[in-house]
Amino acid sequence: MTHETVPLYGGKLSRRVSIRDLRTAKERGERWPMLTSYDMYTAEIFDAAGIPVLLVGDSAGNNVYAHADTVPVTVDEMIPLARAVVRSTSRALVVCDLPFGSYQQGPEQALETSIRIMKETGVQAVKFEGGLPVVESVRRIVEAGIPVMAHVGFTPQSVNALGGYRVQGRGADADRLIESALALEEAGAFAVVLEMVTPQVAAEVTKRLSIPTIGIGAGPDVDAQVLVWQDMAGLREGPLPRFVKQYGDLRGALTDATKAFADDVVSGSFPAEEHTYH
């Protein structure tokens, strides 16, 4: 198969997925999956399964570091996670989030943070949130040779300013969201995440952009879908966002394994003879 016809998911590539591959997939109408990853084992599994893009998200805040949201996460906390994911993969394009406070001061700070993350982790791209206010930061980073994935709609780092987890793109907000996505593409972003956006607006953005759109709670008419892996695999406990579909019960499986181990220890059946050195 030629470079242009290898599917992003299920294709046989002996190299990492590239930005060019993502654009080509959009041109041929191919949908593709994306997951978060923050550690060696999930990165290995998702890469072997053929997930073409892995996001080391600042969602580590409430999925790794036990914060209530993403706001407290720091660059120093993101770097070892991203480094582990890169080391554990050979095919997936790995993207790392810029955490809150590491780019809001403007293009210079955004570029400085992006350079540090690229040099210290080996990821292939960075991602950060925002619409029109971050366009110049996107432009500056792309001009420096660093690929940028944009993120509009509901932006978790701005949860306090947005008044909670609210759907974006309704009413007059729709035009602003579309304008932001177009401006981010013009600034050089290679893809844009649309989070908790009405499906009508997401479909319109997808139609008007030549770069891929990645939905999370944005309906079916986008180019790709992303979920936090702990949500997807059923590791997380408690209420889930409406857009989450669970594809496993990892929490249940791990609970069962833990109890079986503990029961064997208490009963004395572990370790058995085959687990003992002589």
Side-chain angles (χ1 to χ4, degrees):
M1 300 180 85
T2 66
H3 179 96
E4 287 73 19
T5 58
V6 174
L8 284 182
Y9 173 70
K12 301 298 182 182
L13 282 178
S14 58
R15 56 170 176 80
R16 286 198 186 271
V17 171
S18 68
I19 292 168
R20 178 186 173 195
D21 293 321
L22 302 185
R23 185 179 287 266
T24 301
K26 182 179 177 80
E27 291 171 355
R28 63 176 179 250
E30 177 190 341
R31 291 190 174 104
W32 45 273
M34 172 171 152
L35 286 170
T36 64
S37 179
Y38 320 93
D39 68 282
M40 167 183 164
Y41 288 117
T42 59
E44 286 180 347
I45 291 166
F46 300 157
D47 199 48
I51 301 298
V53 182
L54 294 178
L55 172 65
V56 186
D58 61 355
S59 47
N62 48 335
N63 288 280
V64 175
Y65 293 120
H67 296 301
D69 52 43
T70 66
V71 174
V73 179
T74 67
V75 174
D76 286 342
E77 289 175 324
M78 293 294 297
I79 283 175
L81 305 183
R83 188 182 291 140
V85 171
V86 171
R87 287 174 176 170
S88 307
T89 55
S90 60
R91 183 182 185 274
L93 187 153
V94 182
V95 183
C96 183
D97 266 336
L98 304 191
F100 180 74
S102 70
Y103 63 93
Q104 279 86 355
Q105 293 179 27
E108 289 301 320
Q109 186 197 27
L111 177 58
E112 182 178 349
T113 303
S114 298
I115 290 172
R116 182 185 173 198
I117 285 177
M118 296 291 287
K119 287 177 69 69
E120 295 187 27
T121 68
V123 297
Q124 291 77 57
V126 299
K127 180 177 81 66
F128 53 97
E129 299 175 2
L132 295 176
V134 302
V135 165
E136 289 309 312
S137 292
V138 171
R139 193 184 314 279
R140 183 68 182 277
I141 295 167
V142 171
E143 287 174 350
I146 299 173
V148 174
M149 178 180 286
H151 184 152
V152 298
F154 175 74
T155 46
Q157 292 177 10
S158 304
V159 61
N160 296 310
L162 293 171
Y165 293 81
R166 305 178 63 175
V167 175
Q168 306 294 302
R170 289 174 171 158
D173 186 50
D175 291 339
R176 180 191 58 80
L177 198 151
I178 294 169
E179 179 188 5
S180 295
L182 289 168
L184 290 162
E185 177 183 37
E186 190 277 331
F190 71 88
V192 58
V193 172
L194 304 174
E195 181 165 358
M196 290 177 64
V197 173
T198 62
Q200 297 83 1
V201 171
E204 181 65 20
V205 170
T206 302
K207 181 174 70 174
R208 295 179 63 171
L209 295 187
S210 62
I211 60 174
T213 57
I214 303 160
I216 177 166
D221 296 319
V222 290
D223 299 304
Q225 299 286 345
V226 61
L227 284 176
V228 170
W229 84 259
Q230 290 95 333
D231 293 346
M232 179 276 298
L235 185 62
R236 174 177 164 181
E237 187 177 43
L240 293 169
R242 178 172 178 170
F243 57 74
V244 170
K245 179 178 179 179
Q246 292 187 309
Y247 288 85
D249 181 19
L250 201 56
R251 190 178 189 90
L254 191 55
T255 299
D256 291 344
T258 303
K259 289 180 176 178
F261 162 69
D263 289 344
D264 278 2
V265 171
V266 171
S267 70
S269 60
F270 177 82
E273 181 65 22
E274 62 267 29
H275 309 120
T276 305
Y277 295 103
H278 294 284

